[in-house]
Amino acid sequence: MTDRVYSIMTRCGVLSKQIRQIDIQIESLNMSMLPNGISYDKLNVQSSPTDPMTEYAVRLDELYRKREDLQRQYLEAQGDITLKISWLSDETQKTVLTARFIGHEDFARIAKELDMSERNMFRLYKKGLSVINEKLVSECQ
């Protein structure tokens, strides 16, 4: 499998991880915005304490926009992967690659669900990726 095929086929997984990281940041900021999550300046000074709420709100807005963009990219990548998988003629290869790259399932689970050995499943996996690679190479020429 070439790097090009691998990068196309794993794009959903990469984007999914990025979306989860943003979700964690959003959750953290939301927790910080709770009344007991704010720590004001400890010194008794006549000036007003710094209120981080506006900074949190701006950061949340940025994170939500970035998340929406990543979700759009995820859907595009999913469509691209589905198209590449549709090039295959073997239905079992399609099932293996769909479970792996769209369903994000691990190899052992895929083999178990298809009631086959992992070795057989890997053979189908590699052959399917090889067919996709050949099709990509022929498109470039």
Side-chain angles (χ1 to χ4, degrees), residues 17 20 27-28 38 45 47 53 61 67 90-91 124:
K17 288 177 185 174
R20 278 189 299 237
E27 182 64 28
S28 175
I38 302 170
V45 181
S47 65
M53 292 298 246
D61 187 50
R67 188 179 193 287
D90 186 311
E91 290 301 319
L124 291 168

Side-chain angles (χ1 to χ4, degrees), residues 3-44:
D3 289 341
R4 181 174 178 206
V5 173
Y6 186 75
S7 67
I8 290 170
M9 300 304 282
T10 59
R11 183 86 176 122
C12 278
V14 170
L15 290 168
S16 178
K17 288 177 185 174
Q18 291 174 347
I19 290 170
R20 278 189 299 237
Q21 289 173 345
I22 288 177
D23 286 343
I24 291 168
Q25 292 175 20
I26 288 171
E27 182 64 28
S28 175
L29 279 173
N30 281 333
M31 294 300 289
S32 296
M33 292 179 73
L34 294 174
N36 63 350
I38 302 170
S39 59
Y40 291 98
D41 298 334
K42 301 295 183 203
L43 299 175
N44 292 327

Side-chain angles (χ1 to χ4, degrees), residues 38-140:
I38 302 170
S39 59
Y40 291 98
D41 298 334
K42 301 295 183 203
L43 299 175
N44 292 327
V45 181
Q46 292 296 326
S47 65
S48 64
T50 56
D51 186 5
M53 292 298 246
T54 54
E55 293 172 24
Y56 291 163
V58 168
R59 181 70 180 135
L60 271 173
D61 187 50
E62 291 171 2
L63 288 172
Y64 279 123
R65 287 182 188 178
K66 186 173 181 181
R67 188 179 193 287
E68 286 176 14
D69 184 49
L70 288 172
Q71 284 178 318
R72 182 189 48 74
Q73 291 177 39
Y74 179 86
L75 292 174
E76 289 172 1
Q78 202 173 39
D80 194 32
I81 291 169
T82 303
L83 173 67
K84 305 295 188 266
I85 291 173
S86 72
W87 293 345
L88 302 173
S89 57
D90 186 311
E91 290 301 319
T92 311
Q93 288 175 354
K94 287 181 180 182
T95 303
V96 168
L97 293 179
T98 300
R100 180 67 181 159
F101 295 113
I102 301 294
H104 309 294
E105 293 186 28
D106 61 33
F107 292 115
R109 183 177 175 130
I110 296 169
K112 184 178 180 181
E113 286 179 3
L114 295 176
D115 195 31
M116 65 174 59
S117 68
E118 284 189 46
R119 183 176 183 167
N120 242 0
M121 190 270 316
F122 273 118
R123 184 180 55 76
L124 291 168
Y125 171 80
K126 285 183 177 182
K127 180 62 178 163
L129 291 176
S130 175
V131 170
I132 290 171
N133 184 50
E134 290 169 10
K135 178 82 171 172
L136 285 172
V137 168
S138 68
E139 277 186 350
C140 291

